[in-house]
Amino acid sequence: PSLHTAWAMAIFLHGWRGSTASRIFGTFWLIATTGATLGFGFHYAVDVLAGAVFTLTLEAALTRPETGWTKIRMGVVAMGAAMFAGLLALTRYAAMELATGGAAATALLLAPLVFTAAGFLFVERPELLSVEDRPGGPTFPGRRRRIFAQRSQV
């Protein structure tokens, strides 16, 4: 995995917690580092994706320690570790299939980043989840809550 990307992603994530200047710097640093890493041929694109998944997983484990190790955090860290290991296994054992797989292979390679980023977002911003006093814990706000309420009235 690309540790160039991992460091740039960490700077980007921490920059978004700060001022506008730090957001601009973090975004610029991530784009410039990723562009240089790929453009100069230091890493393949899959290395950049693995570096981003690696950083998002670590950040999910370390961000907002005041919230503790919730089920969401443990799930996101476990999922991120599994996604990272899966990316490494795919590049080791299915490199030719990925290289010739077209859109399906691209989706397969991008999926770990998308899922890990979404999970990190729920750890970083837990207010996006609705936690109610009922078995099952957190749910996504909106439609699912309405469906659950309709079932319990029946």
Side-chain angles (χ1 to χ4, degrees):
S2 170
L3 293 181
H4 296 100
T5 303
W7 277 108
M9 177 69 82
I11 291 169
F12 171 77
L13 293 173
H14 288 269
W16 274 91
R17 296 180 186 130
S19 66
T20 302
S22 68
R23 289 178 181 176
I24 292 169
F25 174 76
T27 303
F28 168 77
W29 196 261
L30 179 62
I31 292 169
T33 302
T34 303
T37 301
L38 292 172
F40 292 131
F42 295 136
H43 289 286
Y44 295 109
V46 70
D47 297 332
V48 171
L49 293 173
V53 170
F54 176 77
T55 303
L56 287 167
T57 302
L58 284 178
E59 284 291 325
L62 299 174
T63 191
R64 299 181 60 116
E66 69 276 5
T67 62
W69 278 91
T70 62
K71 289 180 183 180
I72 299 284
R73 182 188 304 267
M74 289 187 287
V76 169
V77 170
M79 177 200 62
M83 296 284 186
F84 181 72
L87 271 174
L88 295 180
L90 275 174
T91 56
R92 170 64 178 98
Y93 297 108
M96 288 305 296
E97 291 82 359
L98 290 173
T100 59
T106 302
L108 187 63
L109 288 173
L110 289 175
L113 178 61
V114 171
F115 286 123
T116 308
F120 169 77
L121 184 62
F122 289 126
V123 171
E124 175 71 20
R125 309 246 343 247
E127 64 272 10
L128 295 175
L129 292 172
S130 169
V131 179
E132 298 180 16
D133 295 330
R134 61 179 165 79
T139 61
F140 290 96
R143 180 174 162 76
R144 185 169 174 192
R145 187 181 322 141
R146 285 193 304 268
I147 292 171
F148 184 79
Q150 288 170 355
R151 275 192 226 151
S152 61
Q153 290 174 0
V154 174

